[in-house]
Amino acid sequence: KQWYQRRVRAVQREHTTLQNQTKDSSSRLHQATMQAATLRQARDDALQKLKRAQHNYELLNKSLTKQAAGWVQDRLDERAVEDSRRFQRILPAAAAAPSTTA
């Protein structure tokens, strides 16, 4: 009878130990699951930010390219006018003379 009671107590202790380990494991699993969800959300938020930043960069780049092209064209137009005026100052007779190539 004593042997049986000792064995029952040993099995009860083992059962309690297993229950505690199961609770701890379950708790750790829950924490890991929550952390994974948080990390997933942070990743998704970072991807959205990156997409917005890329879109804004593309818009800015397009705008700056268009603006730069306008500046280049303005400068080319100014140069053409300057070259024409310079040509007229240097060779007024040539500018006023009728063209014979036409």
Side-chain angles (χ1 to χ4, degrees), residues 84-97:
S84 175
R85 287 182 185 155
R86 193 175 306 123
F87 180 72
Q88 287 176 0
R89 273 184 303 205
I90 295 171
L91 301 170

Side-chain angles (χ1 to χ4, degrees), residues 9-77:
R9 275 185 250 141
V11 169
Q12 287 174 337
R13 280 193 302 272
E14 187 176 343
H15 177 72
T16 302
T17 300
L18 289 174
Q19 277 184 322
N20 290 338
Q21 288 174 350
T22 302
K23 287 178 187 176
D24 291 345
S25 295
S26 177
S27 176
R28 284 195 303 272
L29 176 62
H30 177 72
Q31 289 172 355
T33 302
M34 295 304 290
Q35 187 176 16
T38 300
L39 291 172
R40 250 191 316 275
Q41 184 63 49
R43 180 203 60 203
D44 292 346
D45 292 347
L47 285 173
Q48 286 298 325
K49 270 181 150 177
L50 177 61
K51 286 178 184 177
R52 277 194 305 273
Q54 285 174 331
H55 179 71
N56 289 340
Y57 170 78
E58 289 168 3
L59 290 177
L60 178 63
N61 191 32
K62 195 180 291 186
S63 173
L64 291 175
T65 300
K66 187 175 181 180
Q67 189 176 29
W71 290 341
V72 168
Q73 188 59 52
D74 289 349
R75 185 61 186 128
L76 289 174
D77 293 345

